[in-house]
Amino acid sequence: MAMHLSSAAPACFAVADPRARSRKVRAIASGDSAILKVEEEKVKLGSSDLKVTRLGIGAWSWGDTSYWNNFEWDDRKMKAAKGAFESSIDSGITLFDTAEVYGSRMSFGAINSETLLGRFIKERKEKDPETEVAVATKFAALPWRLGRQSVITALKDSLCRLGLDSVDLYQLHWPGVWGNEGYIDGLGDAVEQGLVKAVGVSNYGERRLREAYEKLKQRGIPLASNQVNYSLIYRKPEENGVKATCDELGITLIAYSPIAQGALTGKYTPENPPSGPRGQIYTPDFLTRLQPLLNRINEIGDSYKKTPTQVVLNWLKHRVT
């Protein structure tokens, strides 16, 4: 998830629905920030009844001090995250994706992302009770978590941090080392208990995706989504059967890191690579080799008076429709 609205802001991800026709996405960029105005219908997640905005905001960086934020979290970054949340809502992007591990102590974070998102939602609704926010969060398939009840217990803990009675989308963050059947049973239980509107998975390959789909189908519950890394420079879902399987089964593909954690926006250069662990991925050598593509993205953007972010997201949007 990669399109930063400010230096400490969350990232943008795209919801792909092969049955949907999207409308325009406008971006206004100034300095180190960007605001996207979404002018489109909401799309359904898979065969569920849940409808969400085509673009979503990922809250991975909120409260994190292990991968983002130069290993520190302060008032300035808190203010930036809150500003990003408000700008997103004002711009029509109302789907927010978080996870129990984002910013948590288990991942050496400063404050849990779910806690921050819940706080921002509460403060917004105090000013505007009509504000609609769709919340997606994730279950961490940790080795010591066994059985379906572990999913329900973790979900209730997430709801407590979020300050909500239910969430719109609950996802398995990654396949477990073992216990995956129990985790899928837990997702079904969460739906039947009214704790979630829809369920999905994340980082699932073709085989496990099919298994999850079939197991939930036996209970009459649709597998709504599979959230995977997918962008102009990371095309594995096209190569490993995941995208084709999602298309075949009617599962919505949610693309995270659609602009490669900022690398496709032109924000970073060989002389100015990202800091922290991302600098080990997007190295000066990598960014040098990326430059011809960035030049082409800029050329296309200039031709249509669009930003690089718009060009890259537009490519992805049409790739999955």
Side-chain angles (χ1 to χ4, degrees):
M1 304 176 186
M3 197 281 293
H4 287 274
L5 302 181
S6 69
S7 59
C12 179
F13 64 93
V15 177
D17 185 345
R19 299 163 297 182
R21 290 183 177 272
S22 61
R23 298 182 183 178
K24 295 180 181 178
V25 179
R26 296 190 299 141
I28 303 171
S30 176
D32 194 37
S33 64
I35 296 176
L36 276 71
K37 179 64 178 178
V38 182
E39 300 174 345
E40 58 180 24
E41 299 287 343
K42 290 183 178 181
V43 297
K44 286 183 63 176
L45 289 187
S47 299
S48 73
D49 294 328
L50 178 62
K51 292 184 177 182
V52 298
T53 52
R54 189 69 180 278
L55 293 181
I57 298 297
W60 179 11
S61 68
W62 292 0
D64 178 80
T65 52
S66 62
Y67 189 79
W68 304 91
N69 303 310
N70 297 320
F71 306 109
E72 61 180 5
W73 185 257
D74 53 28
D75 290 343
R76 182 180 63 84
K77 290 171 182 176
M78 177 76 78
K79 183 177 179 181
K82 175 68 179 299
F85 172 84
E86 295 290 345
S87 294
S88 299
I89 296 291
D90 292 341
S91 301
I93 303 174
T94 57
L95 171 61
F96 291 83
D97 179 84
T98 183
E100 63 172 323
V101 296
Y102 294 167
S104 70
R105 290 183 179 180
M106 74 176 75
S107 61
F108 306 102
I111 182 171
N112 196 287
S113 172
E114 291 178 324
T115 299
L116 292 176
L117 178 57
R119 183 184 304 171
F120 297 161
I121 292 172
K122 179 181 178 182
E123 291 171 353
R124 177 75 183 210
K125 285 185 174 289
E126 286 174 351
K127 295 187 300 182
D128 180 9
E130 301 302 316
T131 297
E132 293 185 4
V133 179
V135 174
T137 192
K138 309 183 197 75
F139 167 84
L142 302 170
W144 56 85
R145 285 180 162 173
L146 302 174
R148 64 207 302 166
Q149 187 56 43
S150 66
V151 176
I152 298 299
T153 299
L155 173 54
K156 289 181 177 179
D157 287 343
S158 288
L159 292 174
C160 183
R161 286 187 290 269
L162 288 160
L164 300 173
D165 295 325
S166 66
V167 292
D168 297 273
L169 176 66
Y170 196 51
Q171 306 151 96
L172 302 182
H173 205 155
W174 59 81
V177 178
W178 48 68
N180 286 286
E181 288 194 3
Y183 296 155
I184 300 301
D185 287 336
L187 290 183
D189 295 344
V191 173
E192 292 178 352
Q193 293 179 30
L195 299 175
V196 301
K197 294 179 181 177
V199 291
V201 293
S202 180
N203 300 305
Y204 267 49
E206 178 184 357
R207 179 180 63 83
R208 284 182 165 169
L209 186 62
R210 290 184 181 277
E211 291 173 353
Y213 172 87
E214 290 297 336
K215 192 165 184 61
L216 286 169
K217 183 179 178 182
Q218 293 172 8
R219 299 174 66 173
I221 297 171
L223 180 62
S225 61
N226 184 20
Q227 185 174 159
V228 295
N229 190 354
Y230 188 28
S231 73
L232 186 57
I233 59 173
Y234 191 86
R235 309 279 285 274
K236 280 195 176 181
E238 299 173 5
E239 303 162 0
N240 60 15
V242 166
K243 181 179 180 299
T245 301
C246 286
D247 292 344
E248 174 193 341
L249 300 179
I251 300 169
T252 295
L253 188 153
I254 299 177
Y256 69 77
S257 292
I259 48 179
Q261 299 179 16
L264 287 173
T265 69
K267 176 179 180 178
Y268 301 113
T269 66
E271 297 75 30
N272 179 41
S275 59
R278 286 182 300 149
Q280 303 301 312
I281 302 172
Y282 305 107
T283 63
D285 178 65
F286 180 93
L287 294 170
T288 297
R289 290 184 284 116
L290 189 63
Q291 198 58 51
L293 176 60
L294 294 178
N295 291 339
R296 182 56 180 149
I297 290 171
N298 279 311
E299 289 173 4
I300 294 171
D302 290 343
S303 297
Y304 293 92
K305 297 183 179 180
K306 304 296 181 183
T307 67
T309 297
Q310 285 178 291
V311 174
V312 172
L313 289 179
N314 192 58
W315 174 89
L316 182 61
K317 183 175 65 176
H318 286 85
R319 195 75 182 177
V320 295
T321 53

